[in-house]
Amino acid sequence: AQAHLRVAQLQGLPGVSRKRSGARQFRHCSAMAVVSLNPEAQLAHIGQGPSSRAEVLKNWHFMSVIFGINHGCATIPLIFATSLLDQHVGYAGSALLYVFTCLSSLFLSVPTVAVLGARGGLLFGMLVYSLYVASFAVAAAATMGSWVQWLSFLPGSALGGLAASVLWTSQGSYMDRHATALIELQGSALDRQSATSSLAATFGVYYLLFEVVCKLLSSVALRYEVVPWLIFTVCLVLTSASGAACTVLWSGRGCTASA
């Protein structure tokens, strides 16, 4: 009886076309009634967001994994810059990386994420990070101290700084939207602090895991005299693949009310 009453109320709304046939209009109003009475269905209806807590967490786990892989591989050049490249090139590149990270964080990261969205910012950051890794692979294959090292690694380091600022800004925004989704799905049973803490803990586990694994594997490879350019070509493939995997993530548009 309540469902039929809700359908009758929805039929009077301006958004429901009166030109539809009776059966089609009834199906539309019935679907709207289900959405209005079920918070999970409502979240899925608005922006095609996740329809359950399990889907939200699954998406967050997947994002944390690809973020960890991307960041773990992309930060390896920073460790070996002064040992595998000419010292002056390595120092200059590392300095540019941090300078552009600071400048981009102040002036570019927020506008970029505002335009691209949280998922778009993650995609942008990860793919630009891959350019940083590619520049190091080229520099590592070049003659020590040559102009190729300077012209490849220094611009790549500037791009790496831009990528870092956008990536971390996007990660914070994306986590906030997942916290909002969990709160909307679970209602008063979950507060924002608890939701954010849980998501941050999950992210931290994957982030630190892949940081350690990537650094150990690269160190072992160098210990056994694998050529550096080959190591960083593999890193390039992994950073590019993890960036491309962002395209299957939830866009985060299902809960924009408080995100």
Side-chain angles (χ1 to χ4, degrees):
Q2 292 180 351
H4 285 293
L5 176 61
R6 182 59 178 159
V7 170
Q9 292 173 345
L10 285 170
Q11 287 176 341
L13 294 176
V16 179
S17 175
R18 298 183 181 276
K19 296 181 181 181
R20 292 181 176 140
S21 64
R24 185 179 177 186
Q25 185 174 4
F26 180 79
R27 288 195 301 270
H28 172 78
C29 293
S30 298
M32 291 298 293
V34 171
V35 166
S36 65
L37 295 174
N38 186 344
E40 293 191 359
Q42 184 177 17
L43 184 59
H45 177 76
I46 302 173
Q48 299 300 316
S51 59
S52 68
R53 178 178 180 274
E55 289 185 10
V56 174
L57 294 178
K58 179 181 179 181
N59 187 79
W60 182 251
H61 278 267
F62 182 65
M63 191 287 297
S64 300
V65 168
I66 61 176
F67 190 107
I69 293 173
N70 183 274
H71 198 273
C73 291
T75 52
I76 293 175
L78 189 61
I79 300 175
F80 298 108
T82 56
S83 58
L84 296 180
L85 306 181
D86 178 80
Q87 283 194 349
H88 297 291
V89 176
Y91 288 136
S94 298
L96 274 179
L97 177 72
Y98 287 116
V99 168
F100 272 82
T101 299
C102 292
L103 293 177
S104 301
S105 298
L106 289 172
F107 303 112
L108 292 176
S109 61
V110 173
T112 301
V113 175
V115 172
L116 299 178
R119 183 183 65 176
L122 289 171
L123 175 62
F124 175 86
M126 291 187 188
L127 292 182
V128 175
Y129 245 158
S130 68
L131 297 179
Y132 168 61
V133 177
S135 73
F136 189 84
V138 172
T143 304
M144 187 73 71
S146 66
W147 62 269
V148 176
Q149 286 194 337
W150 288 95
L151 292 183
S152 58
F153 188 57
L154 266 62
S157 297
L159 290 175
L162 171 63
S165 65
V166 174
L167 189 62
W168 283 107
T169 303
S170 301
Q171 187 270 350
S173 175
Y174 204 60
M175 182 168 67
D176 181 72
R177 297 191 180 192
H178 279 70
T180 299
L182 290 174
I183 293 169
E184 291 192 11
L185 289 170
Q186 295 185 236
S188 59
L190 184 67
D191 59 72
R192 179 166 292 276
Q193 182 177 358
S194 299
T196 303
S197 299
S198 176
L199 293 171
T202 299
F203 174 82
V205 169
Y206 287 114
Y207 175 76
L208 293 176
L209 172 65
F210 285 108
E211 282 288 319
V212 172
V213 169
C214 291
K215 303 303 185 292
L216 283 177
L217 290 178
S218 60
S219 298
V220 169
L222 289 172
R223 172 68 178 80
Y224 284 94
E225 300 182 353
V226 177
V227 288
W229 68 264
L230 180 58
I231 296 173
F232 294 102
T233 299
V234 173
C235 290
L236 172 61
V237 172
L238 291 174
T239 52
S240 301
S242 57
C246 285
T247 58
V248 302
L249 291 172
W250 168 46
S251 67
R253 296 177 181 175
C255 358
T256 56
S258 58

